[in-house]
Amino acid sequence: MAALPKRIIKETERLVSDPVPGITAVPHEENLRYFDVTIQGPDQSPYEGGVFKLELFLPDDYPMIAPKVRFLTKIYHPNIDKLGRICLDVLKNNWSPALQIRTILLSVQALLAAPNPNDPLANDVAEEWLENENRAIQTAKEWTKNYAKE
């Protein structure tokens, strides 16, 4: 494997030395471009109290292209599909090489605090969210309790 670019080394060191509250990102020893991530569900959200596992991979072209991020923990969210893929502008058309791993993880955490059913990836969940938000929030809380407990 080619040597890791300085930028990835610096970002990884910063994630370890100055962790983001509620988020951990640990690189795999055998592949330092692959991270095991946990995000705590934000307070005052349907995901509060949950700990969500994600995977993050830095492609060879990083930082020119966005990292690949997906949820491994099952979650009921209009912007996250059954495969754990995430609909988030900074992972797609609003990606910029100025962004870093920590900014992406903070954006994912913010998405948990503010689901956007008007730009869905999981259409059935978004429909439920728009038709009966209270019921959708209750389902999200139940899924958090069932699937996102440590």
Side-chain angles (χ1 to χ4, degrees), residues 1-12 33 58-60 62-63:
M1 187 165 160
L4 219 51
K6 277 194 176 101
R7 163 146 175 187
I8 294 175
I9 294 167
K10 280 188 179 262
E11 283 193 53
T12 303
R33 289 177 173 272
L58 303 173
D60 289 340
Y62 178 82

Side-chain angles (χ1 to χ4, degrees), residues 49-113:
V51 177
F52 298 87
K53 290 180 173 30
L54 295 84
E55 61 182 7
L56 181 144
F57 178 73
L58 303 173
D60 289 340
D61 294 343
Y62 178 82
M64 300 320 287
I65 62 171
K68 307 287 181 225
V69 186
R70 84 180 179 100
F71 274 76
L72 300 174
T73 302
K74 195 170 174 180
I75 184 169
Y76 191 81
H77 193 292
N79 310 107
I80 302 163
D81 72 8
K82 287 177 176 62
L83 299 175
R85 295 176 302 196
I86 306 165
C87 179
L88 187 60
D89 59 351
V90 291
L91 290 174
K92 302 200 172 31
N93 52 340
N94 282 353
W95 170 253
S96 158
L99 297 172
Q100 296 186 357
I101 298 167
R102 68 189 302 115
T103 9
I104 291 301
L105 296 177
L106 282 165
S107 296
V108 172
Q109 190 179 46
L111 187 66
L112 291 180

Side-chain angles (χ1 to χ4, degrees), residues 44-47 76 78 112-118 124-141:
Q44 312 294 308
S45 81
Y47 311 101
Y76 191 81
L112 291 180
N116 180 4
N118 294 312
D124 55 332
V125 176
E127 222 170 88
E128 175 83 22
W129 219 275
L130 292 168
E131 287 173 9
N132 189 335
E133 187 175 0
N134 289 338
R135 189 169 57 206
I137 288 170
Q138 196 52 48
T139 302
K141 286 179 178 177

